[in-house]
Amino acid sequence: MASDRRRPDGPFDLSIKRVIDAPAALIWTAWTDPEHVKNWWAPKPWSTVGCEIDLCPGGMFRTVMRSPEGRDYPHVGCLLELVKNEKLVMTSALAPGYRPAPDPVDGVDLECAHIPFTAILTLEEHAGKTTYSVLVLHKDEAGRKRHEEMGFYEGWNSALDQLIEVVQGLGR
Amino acid sequence: MASDRRRPDGPFDLSIKRVIDAPAALIWTAWTDPEHVKNWWAPKPWSTVGCEIDLCPGGMFRTVMRSPEGRDYPHVGCLLELVKNEKLVMTSALAPGYRPAPDPVDGVDLECAHIPFTAILTLEEHAGKTTYSVLVLHKDEAGRKRHEEMGFYEGWNSALDQLIEVVQGLGR
């Protein structure tokens, strides 16, 4: 049990991986500049109408997603580890400043706010292309299952398609 | 509300502060070497029968406290930030590797395991003495209150008395 908890990509985890035809530095920029994040974070027809990033350990990673019906859902996470152009770790289990996150509120927070998770983004560049990996850790198998059923793969992959468009624009 | 959450030492927080007649490096050693931690972590008549520390961001900070009745309570936290001899941040809201912490189990975990918290240790040395501060962040006022009623001040201050004994031994 203890070893399973620590094993990444085990039964508690979800992940996506894709090779992107762009250098890691452009992907990093698209991930860490709020103006760029607004252009890809929420899978269409949702949009991202707000984004605030304090790019340091303990710093804020805040987005506001707007539903097609026009309802806004703010989401605040805490950045944990940052290695420029290589690795970014953030969690929804902590608020900015490392404070344990408040309990989500029904009807106010997005359903996914009820599942604490940690996302580890890894960028590995090789010959101008970059292997883009996101590993999402949950506290248990139920958390992973719920996140998956909520449309994790569709959501993160659609957002990644949008991210790639942003990165291609940056590369021109 | 949002600003209160971010303000350290606000209504969600507990803290202790004391000037210790020793250099910061000795206090750091007593805090980060498992063999020393075992000698001060649990306020007597409790004892600390196990300790494992992986001194890096995302690393494990694990202790096993033994009650006077001989029952063992393991507790696992995650280290977040480390500035040698100056600052250490750890949280019980995450398990090692930044995974959101599992739910505590009644009767198996210590009561305080049911209160997620983040502890920020700060050491400020001046003329051979060190101001020792611990700030403990909770997700809400209820968490702070419960932690306080559980004996936060007595427990952390007794442990600090024991820590100072360890540090004095190191300084001889």
Side-chain angles (χ1 to χ4, degrees):
Chain A
M1 180 72 165
S3 60
D4 267 351
R5 279 202 178 283
R6 271 178 279 168
R7 183 159 61 98
D9 213 357
F12 300 169
D13 306 334
L14 292 166
S15 63
I16 58 167
K17 188 181 246 191
R18 216 187 288 184
V19 176
I20 300 177
D21 189 9
L26 291 188
I27 301 170
W28 182 264
T29 299
W31 244 94
T32 56
D33 179 327
E35 290 313 306
H36 294 313
V37 171
K38 283 189 210 163
N39 290 322
W40 67 266
W41 188 258
K44 285 174 191 155
W46 286 61
S47 60
T48 309
V49 294
C51 180
E52 198 180 336
I53 300 173
D54 180 16
L55 207 60
C56 64
M60 171 184 287
F61 192 103
R62 179 175 185 271
T63 52
V64 183
M65 299 216 279
R66 180 167 292 170
S67 74
E69 296 74 33
R71 183 154 185 187
D72 287 352
Y73 294 91
H75 185 263
V76 178
C78 179
L79 291 166
L80 298 173
E81 224 184 288
L82 296 155
V83 183
K84 195 177 175 182
N85 300 342
E86 290 180 22
K87 188 183 182 188
L88 181 151
V89 184
M90 61 184 288
T91 188
S92 69
L94 298 174
Y98 301 125
R99 180 181 301 285
D103 295 320
V105 182
D106 281 323
V108 172
D109 289 299
L110 274 173
E111 208 191 334
C112 64
H114 294 253
I115 306 172
F117 66 87
T118 297
I120 303 175
L121 166 71
T122 314
L123 303 174
E124 288 171 288
E125 189 176 323
H126 36 89
K129 294 183 198 286
T130 302
T131 300
Y132 175 100
S133 312
V134 177
L135 174 65
V136 180
L137 309 176
H138 304 87
K139 71 177 171 184
D140 53 23
E141 209 161 335
R144 178 198 58 74
K145 192 159 176 275
R146 203 161 145 214
H147 206 171
E148 185 177 348
E149 287 168 355
M150 209 173 280
F152 169 84
Y153 289 111
E154 297 81 350
W156 282 72
N157 275 306
S158 297
L160 178 50
D161 292 339
Q162 297 173 177
L163 168 68
I164 291 170
E165 280 183 49
V166 168
V167 167
Q168 285 170 340
L170 288 173
R172 268 177 216 128
Chain B
M1 180 70 164
S3 60
D4 267 349
R5 276 201 182 285
R6 273 177 278 170
R7 182 161 59 98
D9 213 358
F12 300 168
D13 306 334
L14 292 166
S15 63
I16 59 169
K17 188 180 245 191
R18 216 186 286 183
V19 175
I20 300 177
D21 189 10
L26 292 187
I27 301 169
W28 182 264
T29 300
W31 245 93
T32 56
D33 179 327
E35 290 312 307
H36 294 314
V37 171
K38 283 190 210 163
N39 290 323
W40 68 265
W41 188 259
K44 286 173 190 156
W46 286 60
S47 59
T48 308
V49 294
C51 180
E52 197 179 336
I53 300 173
D54 180 17
L55 206 60
C56 64
M60 170 185 288
F61 193 102
R62 179 176 185 269
T63 52
V64 184
M65 299 216 280
R66 180 167 291 171
S67 74
E69 296 75 32
R71 183 154 184 186
D72 288 352
Y73 294 90
H75 185 263
V76 178
C78 180
L79 290 165
L80 297 174
E81 226 184 287
L82 296 156
V83 183
K84 195 177 176 182
N85 301 340
E86 289 179 23
K87 188 183 183 190
L88 181 149
V89 183
M90 60 184 287
T91 188
S92 69
L94 298 174
Y98 301 125
R99 180 182 300 287
D103 295 321
V105 182
D106 281 325
V108 173
D109 289 299
L110 273 174
E111 209 190 335
C112 64
H114 295 254
I115 306 172
F117 66 87
T118 297
I120 303 175
L121 165 71
T122 313
L123 303 174
E124 288 170 286
E125 188 175 323
H126 35 89
K129 295 183 198 284
T130 302
T131 301
Y132 175 100
S133 312
V134 177
L135 174 64
V136 180
L137 310 175
H138 304 87
K139 71 176 171 184
D140 52 24
E141 209 161 332
R144 179 199 57 74
K145 192 158 176 274
R146 202 162 146 215
H147 206 170
E148 185 177 347
E149 287 168 354
M150 209 173 282
F152 170 84
Y153 290 111
E154 298 81 349
W156 282 72
N157 275 308
S158 297
L160 178 50
D161 292 338
Q162 298 173 177
L163 168 68
I164 291 170
E165 279 182 49
V166 168
V167 167
Q168 285 170 340
L170 289 172
R172 266 177 218 128

